[in-house]
Amino acid sequence: MTLADPVPDDYRAAIDYLSALDADWARHIAAVGPCLHQAKPAQEPYEALVRAIAYQQLHGRAAEAILGRMLALFPEVAFPRPEQLLAVEPQTLRACGFSASKLATIQGIAQARLEGRVPSRAEALVMDDEALIERLVALRGVGRWTVEMLLIYCLERPDILPVDDFGVRAGYRRLKGLDKAPTPAQLRALGMAWSPFRTVAAWYLWRA
């Protein structure tokens, strides 16, 4: 399945499968309409990770401003290469708005890419989901959720359910009219029934 191009047929199997689960799913999917999930498959995992770290715990506009200031330091490229990022003085990057913790994480990602611990896109495409998660969460400041966003948006994986995502758990609570959202472990168990279309399921739960 290709998730980058929101052509209805790309999602038809997923929509039909999820709609057939029960009346709640069918009603919600009918209300939301076609799945318009769009990935960003041109990005390298290194770039996707750096961007994801920049957005962590920040409002979207604030993160965009910080990234914009960083990118302005490298006007000759669309996104700085790892060696370019590491060559910049830390105080210069801090002045863009990165916290000390985020800066250390971003520099660690750049160094890990140079060492091969962060794979190229071509290498990542042939890696198993869990193998890639295990490799990347070993990096300082990189959690499972961050890698799952990479899998969904950069590598177009069709069966990823980010159970630690508050929006996904809250979406399921609203979908089912529950008093409280499921725990990550509970949602992981529930989500087994949505495989092999858990990425599309997550997209619909975000919209609940």
Side-chain angles (χ1 to χ4, degrees), residues 78-101:
F79 197 85
R81 297 186 302 278
E83 60 270 24
Q84 290 178 304
L85 199 57
L86 290 169
V88 176
E89 290 293 331
Q91 58 265 35
T92 301
L93 290 172
R94 286 276 278 140
C96 294
F98 292 109
S99 67
S101 177

mmCIF file with all atom_site columns, all heavy atoms in Angstrom, residues 78-101:
data_model
loop_
_atom_site.group_PDB
_atom_site.id
_atom_site.type_symbol
_atom_site.label_atom_id
_atom_site.label_alt_id
_atom_site.label_comp_id
_atom_site.label_asym_id
_atom_site.label_entity_id
_atom_site.label_seq_id
_atom_site.pdbx_PDB_ins_code
_atom_site.Cartn_x
_atom_site.Cartn_y
_atom_site.Cartn_z
_atom_site.occupancy
_atom_site.B_iso_or_equiv
_atom_site.pdbx_formal_charge
_atom_site.auth_seq_id
_atom_site.auth_comp_id
_atom_site.auth_asym_id
_atom_site.auth_atom_id
_atom_site.pdbx_PDB_model_num
ATOM 1   N N   . ALA A 1 78  ? 18.682 22.682 0.885  1.00 0.00 ? 78  ALA A N   1
ATOM 2   C CA  . ALA A 1 78  ? 17.314 22.609 1.408  1.00 0.00 ? 78  ALA A CA  1
ATOM 3   C C   . ALA A 1 78  ? 17.308 22.186 2.865  1.00 0.00 ? 78  ALA A C   1
ATOM 4   O O   . ALA A 1 78  ? 16.457 22.624 3.649  1.00 0.00 ? 78  ALA A O   1
ATOM 5   C CB  . ALA A 1 78  ? 16.492 21.633 0.567  1.00 0.00 ? 78  ALA A CB  1
ATOM 6   N N   . PHE A 1 79  ? 18.258 21.310 3.229  1.00 0.00 ? 79  PHE A N   1
ATOM 7   C CA  . PHE A 1 79  ? 18.394 20.873 4.620  1.00 0.00 ? 79  PHE A CA  1
ATOM 8   C C   . PHE A 1 79  ? 19.858 20.545 4.849  1.00 0.00 ? 79  PHE A C   1
ATOM 9   O O   . PHE A 1 79  ? 20.494 19.904 4.001  1.00 0.00 ? 79  PHE A O   1
ATOM 10  C CB  . PHE A 1 79  ? 17.518 19.635 4.886  1.00 0.00 ? 79  PHE A CB  1
ATOM 11  C CG  . PHE A 1 79  ? 17.287 19.386 6.358  1.00 0.00 ? 79  PHE A CG  1
ATOM 12  C CD1 . PHE A 1 79  ? 16.262 20.039 7.024  1.00 0.00 ? 79  PHE A CD1 1
ATOM 13  C CD2 . PHE A 1 79  ? 18.099 18.516 7.072  1.00 0.00 ? 79  PHE A CD2 1
ATOM 14  C CE1 . PHE A 1 79  ? 16.044 19.821 8.381  1.00 0.00 ? 79  PHE A CE1 1
ATOM 15  C CE2 . PHE A 1 79  ? 17.891 18.296 8.426  1.00 0.00 ? 79  PHE A CE2 1
ATOM 16  C CZ  . PHE A 1 79  ? 16.856 18.955 9.083  1.00 0.00 ? 79  PHE A CZ  1
ATOM 17  N N   . PRO A 1 80  ? 20.415 20.967 5.986  1.00 0.00 ? 80  PRO A N   1
ATOM 18  C CA  . PRO A 1 80  ? 21.856 20.762 6.204  1.00 0.00 ? 80  PRO A CA  1
ATOM 19  C C   . PRO A 1 80  ? 22.231 19.285 6.329  1.00 0.00 ? 80  PRO A C   1
ATOM 20  O O   . PRO A 1 80  ? 21.505 18.490 6.927  1.00 0.00 ? 80  PRO A O   1
ATOM 21  C CB  . PRO A 1 80  ? 22.126 21.506 7.514  1.00 0.00 ? 80  PRO A CB  1
ATOM 22  C CG  . PRO A 1 80  ? 20.796 21.516 8.210  1.00 0.00 ? 80  PRO A CG  1
ATOM 23  C CD  . PRO A 1 80  ? 19.792 21.670 7.111  1.00 0.00 ? 80  PRO A CD  1
ATOM 24  N N   . ARG A 1 81  ? 23.359 18.934 5.761  1.00 0.00 ? 81  ARG A N   1
ATOM 25  C CA  . ARG A 1 81  ? 23.901 17.590 5.925  1.00 0.00 ? 81  ARG A CA  1
ATOM 26  C C   . ARG A 1 81  ? 24.426 17.431 7.361  1.00 0.00 ? 81  ARG A C   1
ATOM 27  O O   . ARG A 1 81  ? 24.698 18.438 8.027  1.00 0.00 ? 81  ARG A O   1
ATOM 28  C CB  . ARG A 1 81  ? 25.018 17.339 4.917  1.00 0.00 ? 81  ARG A CB  1
ATOM 29  C CG  . ARG A 1 81  ? 24.558 17.395 3.459  1.00 0.00 ? 81  ARG A CG  1
ATOM 30  C CD  . ARG A 1 81  ? 25.688 16.985 2.518  1.00 0.00 ? 81  ARG A CD  1
ATOM 31  N NE  . ARG A 1 81  ? 26.870 17.826 2.675  1.00 0.00 ? 81  ARG A NE  1
ATOM 32  C CZ  . ARG A 1 81  ? 27.031 19.012 2.103  1.00 0.00 ? 81  ARG A CZ  1
ATOM 33  N NH1 . ARG A 1 81  ? 26.087 19.505 1.310  1.00 0.00 ? 81  ARG A NH1 1
ATOM 34  N NH2 . ARG A 1 81  ? 28.142 19.700 2.298  1.00 0.00 ? 81  ARG A NH2 1
ATOM 35  N N   . PRO A 1 82  ? 24.556 16.216 7.840  1.00 0.00 ? 82  PRO A N   1
ATOM 36  C CA  . PRO A 1 82  ? 25.023 16.024 9.220  1.00 0.00 ? 82  PRO A CA  1
ATOM 37  C C   . PRO A 1 82  ? 26.323 16.750 9.523  1.00 0.00 ? 82  PRO A C   1
ATOM 38  O O   . PRO A 1 82  ? 26.462 17.384 10.577 1.00 0.00 ? 82  PRO A O   1
ATOM 39  C CB  . PRO A 1 82  ? 25.185 14.505 9.321  1.00 0.00 ? 82  PRO A CB  1
ATOM 40  C CG  . PRO A 1 82  ? 24.255 13.953 8.316  1.00 0.00 ? 82  PRO A CG  1
ATOM 41  C CD  . PRO A 1 82  ? 24.242 14.929 7.181  1.00 0.00 ? 82  PRO A CD  1
ATOM 42  N N   . GLU A 1 83  ? 27.283 16.663 8.614  1.00 0.00 ? 83  GLU A N   1
ATOM 43  C CA  . GLU A 1 83  ? 28.567 17.312 8.867  1.00 0.00 ? 83  GLU A CA  1
ATOM 44  C C   . GLU A 1 83  ? 28.447 18.830 8.914  1.00 0.00 ? 83  GLU A C   1
ATOM 45  O O   . GLU A 1 83  ? 29.184 19.501 9.649  1.00 0.00 ? 83  GLU A O   1
ATOM 46  C CB  . GLU A 1 83  ? 29.615 16.885 7.821  1.00 0.00 ? 83  GLU A CB  1
ATOM 47  C CG  . GLU A 1 83  ? 29.245 17.231 6.376  1.00 0.00 ? 83  GLU A CG  1
ATOM 48  C CD  . GLU A 1 83  ? 28.465 16.140 5.680  1.00 0.00 ? 83  GLU A CD  1
ATOM 49  O OE1 . GLU A 1 83  ? 27.816 15.336 6.367  1.00 0.00 ? 83  GLU A OE1 1
ATOM 50  O OE2 . GLU A 1 83  ? 28.522 16.095 4.436  1.00 0.00 ? 83  GLU A OE2 1
ATOM 51  N N   . GLN A 1 84  ? 27.506 19.389 8.150  1.00 0.00 ? 84  GLN A N   1
ATOM 52  C CA  . GLN A 1 84  ? 27.277 20.830 8.198  1.00 0.00 ? 84  GLN A CA  1
ATOM 53  C C   . GLN A 1 84  ? 26.683 21.241 9.540  1.00 0.00 ? 84  GLN A C   1
ATOM 54  O O   . GLN A 1 84  ? 27.068 22.251 10.131 1.00 0.00 ? 84  GLN A O   1
ATOM 55  C CB  . GLN A 1 84  ? 26.334 21.256 7.067  1.00 0.00 ? 84  GLN A CB  1
ATOM 56  C CG  . GLN A 1 84  ? 26.922 21.167 5.677  1.00 0.00 ? 84  GLN A CG  1
ATOM 57  C CD  . GLN A 1 84  ? 25.911 21.560 4.611  1.00 0.00 ? 84  GLN A CD  1
ATOM 58  O OE1 . GLN A 1 84  ? 24.832 20.977 4.541  1.00 0.00 ? 84  GLN A OE1 1
ATOM 59  N NE2 . GLN A 1 84  ? 26.246 22.548 3.804  1.00 0.00 ? 84  GLN A NE2 1
ATOM 60  N N   . LEU A 1 85  ? 25.732 20.445 10.015 1.00 0.00 ? 85  LEU A N   1
ATOM 61  C CA  . LEU A 1 85  ? 25.088 20.754 11.289 1.00 0.00 ? 85  LEU A CA  1
ATOM 62  C C   . LEU A 1 85  ? 26.087 20.681 12.434 1.00 0.00 ? 85  LEU A C   1
ATOM 63  O O   . LEU A 1 85  ? 26.097 21.539 13.331 1.00 0.00 ? 85  LEU A O   1
ATOM 64  C CB  . LEU A 1 85  ? 23.943 19.763 11.516 1.00 0.00 ? 85  LEU A CB  1
ATOM 65  C CG  . LEU A 1 85  ? 22.868 20.135 12.531 1.00 0.00 ? 85  LEU A CG  1
ATOM 66  C CD1 . LEU A 1 85  ? 22.217 21.458 12.176 1.00 0.00 ? 85  LEU A CD1 1
ATOM 67  C CD2 . LEU A 1 85  ? 21.829 19.039 12.600 1.00 0.00 ? 85  LEU A CD2 1
ATOM 68  N N   . LEU A 1 86  ? 26.962 19.689 12.387 1.00 0.00 ? 86  LEU A N   1
ATOM 69  C CA  . LEU A 1 86  ? 27.943 19.522 13.458 1.00 0.00 ? 86  LEU A CA  1
ATOM 70  C C   . LEU A 1 86  ? 29.029 20.586 13.417 1.00 0.00 ? 86  LEU A C   1
ATOM 71  O O   . LEU A 1 86  ? 29.695 20.835 14.437 1.00 0.00 ? 86  LEU A O   1
ATOM 72  C CB  . LEU A 1 86  ? 28.575 18.130 13.365 1.00 0.00 ? 86  LEU A CB  1
ATOM 73  C CG  . LEU A 1 86  ? 27.643 16.966 13.725 1.00 0.00 ? 86  LEU A CG  1
ATOM 74  C CD1 . LEU A 1 86  ? 28.281 15.641 13.346 1.00 0.00 ? 86  LEU A CD1 1
ATOM 75  C CD2 . LEU A 1 86  ? 27.297 16.994 15.202 1.00 0.00 ? 86  LEU A CD2 1
ATOM 76  N N   . ALA A 1 87  ? 29.221 21.220 12.269 1.00 0.00 ? 87  ALA A N   1
ATOM 77  C CA  . ALA A 1 87  ? 30.262 22.244 12.143 1.00 0.00 ? 87  ALA A CA  1
ATOM 78  C C   . ALA A 1 87  ? 29.844 23.593 12.723 1.00 0.00 ? 87  ALA A C   1
ATOM 79  O O   . ALA A 1 87  ? 30.686 24.469 12.931 1.00 0.00 ? 87  ALA A O   1
ATOM 80  C CB  . ALA A 1 87  ? 30.645 22.417 10.671 1.00 0.00 ? 87  ALA A CB  1
ATOM 81  N N   . VAL A 1 88  ? 28.551 23.760 12.988 1.00 0.00 ? 88  VAL A N   1
ATOM 82  C CA  . VAL A 1 88  ? 28.052 25.031 13.520 1.00 0.00 ? 88  VAL A CA  1
ATOM 83  C C   . VAL A 1 88  ? 28.280 25.092 15.026 1.00 0.00 ? 88  VAL A C   1
ATOM 84  O O   . VAL A 1 88  ? 28.077 24.101 15.738 1.00 0.00 ? 88  VAL A O   1
ATOM 85  C CB  . VAL A 1 88  ? 26.543 25.192 13.208 1.00 0.00 ? 88  VAL A CB  1
ATOM 86  C CG1 . VAL A 1 88  ? 25.990 26.459 13.832 1.00 0.00 ? 88  VAL A CG1 1
ATOM 87  C CG2 . VAL A 1 88  ? 26.321 25.195 11.708 1.00 0.00 ? 88  VAL A CG2 1
ATOM 88  N N   . GLU A 1 89  ? 28.703 26.256 15.505 1.00 0.00 ? 89  GLU A N   1
ATOM 89  C CA  . GLU A 1 89  ? 28.918 26.420 16.935 1.00 0.00 ? 89  GLU A CA  1
ATOM 90  C C   . GLU A 1 89  ? 27.610 26.195 17.693 1.00 0.00 ? 89  GLU A C   1
ATOM 91  O O   . GLU A 1 89  ? 26.551 26.674 17.273 1.00 0.00 ? 89  GLU A O   1
ATOM 92  C CB  . GLU A 1 89  ? 29.428 27.835 17.224 1.00 0.00 ? 89  GLU A CB  1
ATOM 93  C CG  . GLU A 1 89  ? 30.841 28.105 16.736 1.00 0.00 ? 89  GLU A CG  1
ATOM 94  C CD  . GLU A 1 89  ? 31.871 27.291 17.508 1.00 0.00 ? 89  GLU A CD  1
ATOM 95  O OE1 . GLU A 1 89  ? 31.619 26.987 18.698 1.00 0.00 ? 89  GLU A OE1 1
ATOM 96  O OE2 . GLU A 1 89  ? 32.903 26.939 16.919 1.00 0.00 ? 89  GLU A OE2 1
ATOM 97  N N   . PRO A 1 90  ? 27.670 25.477 18.805 1.00 0.00 ? 90  PRO A N   1
ATOM 98  C CA  . PRO A 1 90  ? 26.447 25.206 19.569 1.00 0.00 ? 90  PRO A CA  1
ATOM 99  C C   . PRO A 1 90  ? 25.667 26.459 19.943 1.00 0.00 ? 90  PRO A C   1
ATOM 100 O O   . PRO A 1 90  ? 24.435 26.472 19.894 1.00 0.00 ? 90  PRO A O   1
ATOM 101 C CB  . PRO A 1 90  ? 26.963 24.478 20.817 1.00 0.00 ? 90  PRO A CB  1
ATOM 102 C CG  . PRO A 1 90  ? 28.236 23.824 20.365 1.00 0.00 ? 90  PRO A CG  1
ATOM 103 C CD  . PRO A 1 90  ? 28.841 24.783 19.386 1.00 0.00 ? 90  PRO A CD  1
ATOM 104 N N   . GLN A 1 91  ? 26.363 27.534 20.302 1.00 0.00 ? 91  GLN A N   1
ATOM 105 C CA  . GLN A 1 91  ? 25.658 28.749 20.698 1.00 0.00 ? 91  GLN A CA  1
ATOM 106 C C   . GLN A 1 91  ? 24.876 29.351 19.535 1.00 0.00 ? 91  GLN A C   1
ATOM 107 O O   . GLN A 1 91  ? 23.846 30.004 19.744 1.00 0.00 ? 91  GLN A O   1
ATOM 108 C CB  . GLN A 1 91  ? 26.609 29.784 21.303 1.00 0.00 ? 91  GLN A CB  1
ATOM 109 C CG  . GLN A 1 91  ? 27.759 30.209 20.397 1.00 0.00 ? 91  GLN A CG  1
ATOM 110 C CD  . GLN A 1 91  ? 29.011 29.411 20.661 1.00 0.00 ? 91  GLN A CD  1
ATOM 111 O OE1 . GLN A 1 91  ? 28.930 28.216 20.982 1.00 0.00 ? 91  GLN A OE1 1
ATOM 112 N NE2 . GLN A 1 91  ? 30.171 30.056 20.535 1.00 0.00 ? 91  GLN A NE2 1
ATOM 113 N N   . THR A 1 92  ? 25.356 29.125 18.313 1.00 0.00 ? 92  THR A N   1
ATOM 114 C CA  . THR A 1 92  ? 24.635 29.625 17.141 1.00 0.00 ? 92  THR A CA  1
ATOM 115 C C   . THR A 1 92  ? 23.315 28.877 16.978 1.00 0.00 ? 92  THR A C   1
ATOM 116 O O   . THR A 1 92  ? 22.274 29.480 16.681 1.00 0.00 ? 92  THR A O   1
ATOM 117 C CB  . THR A 1 92  ? 25.486 29.454 15.871 1.00 0.00 ? 92  THR A CB  1
ATOM 118 O OG1 . THR A 1 92  ? 26.713 30.168 16.033 1.00 0.00 ? 92  THR A OG1 1
ATOM 119 C CG2 . THR A 1 92  ? 24.756 29.996 14.635 1.00 0.00 ? 92  THR A CG2 1
ATOM 120 N N   . LEU A 1 93  ? 23.347 27.565 17.167 1.00 0.00 ? 93  LEU A N   1
ATOM 121 C CA  . LEU A 1 93  ? 22.123 26.783 17.081 1.00 0.00 ? 93  LEU A CA  1
ATOM 122 C C   . LEU A 1 93  ? 21.200 27.066 18.259 1.00 0.00 ? 93  LEU A C   1
ATOM 123 O O   . LEU A 1 93  ? 19.976 27.105 18.104 1.00 0.00 ? 93  LEU A O   1
ATOM 124 C CB  . LEU A 1 93  ? 22.464 25.289 17.009 1.00 0.00 ? 93  LEU A CB  1
ATOM 125 C CG  . LEU A 1 93  ? 23.119 24.825 15.711 1.00 0.00 ? 93  LEU A CG  1
ATOM 126 C CD1 . LEU A 1 93  ? 23.597 23.382 15.824 1.00 0.00 ? 93  LEU A CD1 1
ATOM 127 C CD2 . LEU A 1 93  ? 22.143 24.957 14.537 1.00 0.00 ? 93  LEU A CD2 1
ATOM 128 N N   . ARG A 1 94  ? 21.777 27.293 19.421 1.00 0.00 ? 94  ARG A N   1
ATOM 129 C CA  . ARG A 1 94  ? 20.958 27.640 20.583 1.00 0.00 ? 94  ARG A CA  1
ATOM 130 C C   . ARG A 1 94  ? 20.210 28.944 20.327 1.00 0.00 ? 94  ARG A C   1
ATOM 131 O O   . ARG A 1 94  ? 19.055 29.099 20.745 1.00 0.00 ? 94  ARG A O   1
ATOM 132 C CB  . ARG A 1 94  ? 21.841 27.776 21.827 1.00 0.00 ? 94  ARG A CB  1
ATOM 133 C CG  . ARG A 1 94  ? 22.340 26.489 22.386 1.00 0.00 ? 94  ARG A CG  1
ATOM 134 C CD  . ARG A 1 94  ? 21.322 25.833 23.327 1.00 0.00 ? 94  ARG A CD  1
ATOM 135 N NE  . ARG A 1 94  ? 21.387 26.400 24.663 1.00 0.00 ? 94  ARG A NE  1
ATOM 136 C CZ  . ARG A 1 94  ? 20.347 26.672 25.431 1.00 0.00 ? 94  ARG A CZ  1
ATOM 137 N NH1 . ARG A 1 94  ? 19.132 26.451 24.976 1.00 0.00 ? 94  ARG A NH1 1
ATOM 138 N NH2 . ARG A 1 94  ? 20.490 27.156 26.638 1.00 0.00 ? 94  ARG A NH2 1
ATOM 139 N N   . ALA A 1 95  ? 20.867 29.865 19.623 1.00 0.00 ? 95  ALA A N   1
ATOM 140 C CA  . ALA A 1 95  ? 20.237 31.156 19.320 1.00 0.00 ? 95  ALA A CA  1
ATOM 141 C C   . ALA A 1 95  ? 19.034 31.005 18.395 1.00 0.00 ? 95  ALA A C   1
ATOM 142 O O   . ALA A 1 95  ? 18.180 31.888 18.323 1.00 0.00 ? 95  ALA A O   1
ATOM 143 C CB  . ALA A 1 95  ? 21.262 32.102 18.694 1.00 0.00 ? 95  ALA A CB  1
ATOM 144 N N   . CYS A 1 96  ? 18.953 29.873 17.693 1.00 0.00 ? 96  CYS A N   1
ATOM 145 C CA  . CYS A 1 96  ? 17.778 29.619 16.848 1.00 0.00 ? 96  CYS A CA  1
ATOM 146 C C   . CYS A 1 96  ? 16.547 29.309 17.681 1.00 0.00 ? 96  CYS A C   1
ATOM 147 O O   . CYS A 1 96  ? 15.416 29.396 17.181 1.00 0.00 ? 96  CYS A O   1
ATOM 148 C CB  . CYS A 1 96  ? 18.052 28.442 15.903 1.00 0.00 ? 96  CYS A CB  1
ATOM 149 S SG  . CYS A 1 96  ? 19.335 28.750 14.671 1.00 0.00 ? 96  CYS A SG  1
ATOM 150 N N   . GLY A 1 97  ? 16.764 28.914 18.941 1.00 0.00 ? 97  GLY A N   1
ATOM 151 C CA  . GLY A 1 97  ? 15.651 28.613 19.822 1.00 0.00 ? 97  GLY A CA  1
ATOM 152 C C   . GLY A 1 97  ? 15.636 27.208 20.380 1.00 0.00 ? 97  GLY A C   1
ATOM 153 O O   . GLY A 1 97  ? 14.728 26.834 21.115 1.00 0.00 ? 97  GLY A O   1
ATOM 154 N N   . PHE A 1 98  ? 16.647 26.410 20.059 1.00 0.00 ? 98  PHE A N   1
ATOM 155 C CA  . PHE A 1 98  ? 16.713 25.050 20.583 1.00 0.00 ? 98  PHE A CA  1
ATOM 156 C C   . PHE A 1 98  ? 17.127 25.060 22.053 1.00 0.00 ? 98  PHE A C   1
ATOM 157 O O   . PHE A 1 98  ? 18.048 25.789 22.432 1.00 0.00 ? 98  PHE A O   1
ATOM 158 C CB  . PHE A 1 98  ? 17.719 24.208 19.796 1.00 0.00 ? 98  PHE A CB  1
ATOM 159 C CG  . PHE A 1 98  ? 17.310 23.908 18.386 1.00 0.00 ? 98  PHE A CG  1
ATOM 160 C CD1 . PHE A 1 98  ? 17.959 24.508 17.307 1.00 0.00 ? 98  PHE A CD1 1
ATOM 161 C CD2 . PHE A 1 98  ? 16.265 23.024 18.127 1.00 0.00 ? 98  PHE A CD2 1
ATOM 162 C CE1 . PHE A 1 98  ? 17.585 24.220 16.006 1.00 0.00 ? 98  PHE A CE1 1
ATOM 163 C CE2 . PHE A 1 98  ? 15.884 22.735 16.825 1.00 0.00 ? 98  PHE A CE2 1
ATOM 164 C CZ  . PHE A 1 98  ? 16.537 23.342 15.766 1.00 0.00 ? 98  PHE A CZ  1
ATOM 165 N N   . SER A 1 99  ? 16.479 24.237 22.849 1.00 0.00 ? 99  SER A N   1
ATOM 166 C CA  . SER A 1 99  ? 16.917 24.056 24.228 1.00 0.00 ? 99  SER A CA  1
ATOM 167 C C   . SER A 1 99  ? 18.230 23.284 24.213 1.00 0.00 ? 99  SER A C   1
ATOM 168 O O   . SER A 1 99  ? 18.600 22.659 23.208 1.00 0.00 ? 99  SER A O   1
ATOM 169 C CB  . SER A 1 99  ? 15.868 23.277 25.019 1.00 0.00 ? 99  SER A CB  1
ATOM 170 O OG  . SER A 1 99  ? 15.768 21.941 24.530 1.00 0.00 ? 99  SER A OG  1
ATOM 171 N N   . ALA A 1 100 ? 18.934 23.305 25.340 1.00 0.00 ? 100 ALA A N   1
ATOM 172 C CA  . ALA A 1 100 ? 20.193 22.570 25.425 1.00 0.00 ? 100 ALA A CA  1
ATOM 173 C C   . ALA A 1 100 ? 19.962 21.076 25.197 1.00 0.00 ? 100 ALA A C   1
ATOM 174 O O   . ALA A 1 100 ? 20.756 20.411 24.534 1.00 0.00 ? 100 ALA A O   1
ATOM 175 C CB  . ALA A 1 100 ? 20.847 22.816 26.783 1.00 0.00 ? 100 ALA A CB  1
ATOM 176 N N   . SER A 1 101 ? 18.852 20.559 25.733 1.00 0.00 ? 101 SER A N   1
ATOM 177 C CA  . SER A 1 101 ? 18.549 19.138 25.574 1.00 0.00 ? 101 SER A CA  1
ATOM 178 C C   . SER A 1 101 ? 18.266 18.779 24.126 1.00 0.00 ? 101 SER A C   1
ATOM 179 O O   . SER A 1 101 ? 18.783 17.782 23.601 1.00 0.00 ? 101 SER A O   1
ATOM 180 C CB  . SER A 1 101 ? 17.354 18.762 26.452 1.00 0.00 ? 101 SER A CB  1
ATOM 181 O OG  . SER A 1 101 ? 16.998 17.407 26.274 1.00 0.00 ? 101 SER A OG  1
#
